[in-house]
Amino acid sequence: PEELKAVMSLECLGNVPEVRFKARTGKNHPKISFFNDRVPQAFKESILSLEVRLEREMEEKNGKILLVTSTVAQEGKTTAALNLAFAAASHGKKVLYIDGDLRKQKTRQDITSEAGFGLADVILGKAPFEKAAVFDKNSGIWMLCGSHPSTQIPRILNNSRMEAIKERCKKNAELVIID
């Protein structure tokens, strides 16, 4: 945290401990989720604490949209974003989680087995926002996560509908997390 502040002039809002599961040959690793009983309580508490600090910071800046990003794959960006969404929902907030990784669109399968529409589908007019944004009763979050990867990402993100969709998200949710 001190190095971050010294190098980037940014304050650290929280630390999240690394979670490791024992390697089991031939088996899928369990998801690091707020709802997984095998995940240490320290992880869950650090996510809850981070969510509270983020909420306070965003309220001070009148912000509703949180973009979670990283420079390298497999850093835990989706794990952090999803668990922050789960934590905010557990505090009674209406949360919209958006899978912004249009090249992969894998997050939906971590939440539900049902296929659906994502951000690219809404931007390109393939699905209305009301049909694409669905509520997951198990986690308590709204999600806008596609089932199929997209191509021509810059064309999609620079679409003229993007600003209207962003405003719609802010209107319909107390917190929007874009992963």
Side-chain angles (χ1 to χ4, degrees), residues 65-147:
I65 298 178
L66 174 67
L67 175 65
V68 180
T69 187
S70 68
T71 57
V72 180
Q74 302 296 312
E75 284 188 317
K77 171 180 66 79
T78 298
T79 298
L82 267 177
N83 281 289
L84 284 169
F86 298 155
S90 77
H91 289 143
K93 283 196 166 270
K94 184 175 181 184
V95 179
L96 174 62
Y97 172 87
I98 300 174
D99 184 356
D101 190 348
L102 304 180
R103 287 181 182 88
K104 294 181 184 170
Q105 294 292 283
K106 291 184 176 180
T107 305
R108 185 179 194 92
Q109 66 193 19
D110 292 340
I111 302 171
T112 181
S113 59
E114 297 175 19
F117 298 106
L119 180 62
D121 298 311
V122 175
I123 292 171
L124 297 174
K126 294 179 181 177
F129 181 85
E130 297 79 15
K131 186 174 181 182
V134 295
F135 183 72
D136 177 62
K137 62 183 177 192
N138 294 325
S139 64
I141 65 170
W142 286 84
M143 61 181 184
L144 185 58
C145 303
S147 299

Side-chain angles (χ1 to χ4, degrees), residues 114-176:
E114 297 175 19
F117 298 106
L119 180 62
D121 298 311
V122 175
I123 292 171
L124 297 174
K126 294 179 181 177
F129 181 85
E130 297 79 15
K131 186 174 181 182
V134 295
F135 183 72
D136 177 62
K137 62 183 177 192
N138 294 325
S139 64
I141 65 170
W142 286 84
M143 61 181 184
L144 185 58
C145 303
S147 299
H148 306 290
S150 300
T151 57
Q152 301 177 339
I153 308 303
R155 190 179 125 246
I156 294 170
L157 295 178
N158 288 315
N159 188 295
S160 59
R161 294 182 182 162
M162 188 63 184
E163 189 64 32
I165 292 168
K166 186 173 81 171
E167 291 305 314
R168 183 102 185 247
C169 291
K170 286 171 32 177
K171 180 181 169 191
N172 286 302
E174 295 172 89
L175 175 63
V176 179

Side-chain angles (χ1 to χ4, degrees), residues 24-72:
R24 297 175 192 251
T25 308
K27 293 190 177 183
N28 290 336
H29 294 285
K31 297 294 177 193
I32 300 172
S33 170
F34 197 72
F35 303 111
N36 183 340
D37 291 335
R38 291 184 54 204
V39 171
Q41 190 62 29
F43 173 83
K44 296 174 186 178
E45 289 173 7
S46 67
I47 290 290
L48 287 167
S49 176
L50 178 57
E51 189 277 324
V52 168
R53 293 226 30 214
L54 280 169
E55 180 180 343
R56 189 172 35 224
E57 290 287 323
M58 291 178 77
E59 281 177 4
E60 287 176 11
K61 294 172 176 59
N62 200 25
K64 283 185 130 184
I65 298 178
L66 174 67
L67 175 65
V68 180
T69 187
S70 68
T71 57
V72 180

Side-chain angles (χ1 to χ4, degrees), residues 7-25:
V7 174
M8 300 185 74
S9 301
L10 296 173
E11 182 181 344
C12 180
L13 296 178
N15 291 316
V16 178
E18 182 178 9
V19 175
R20 292 181 184 242
F21 294 109
K22 291 181 181 177
R24 297 175 192 251
T25 308

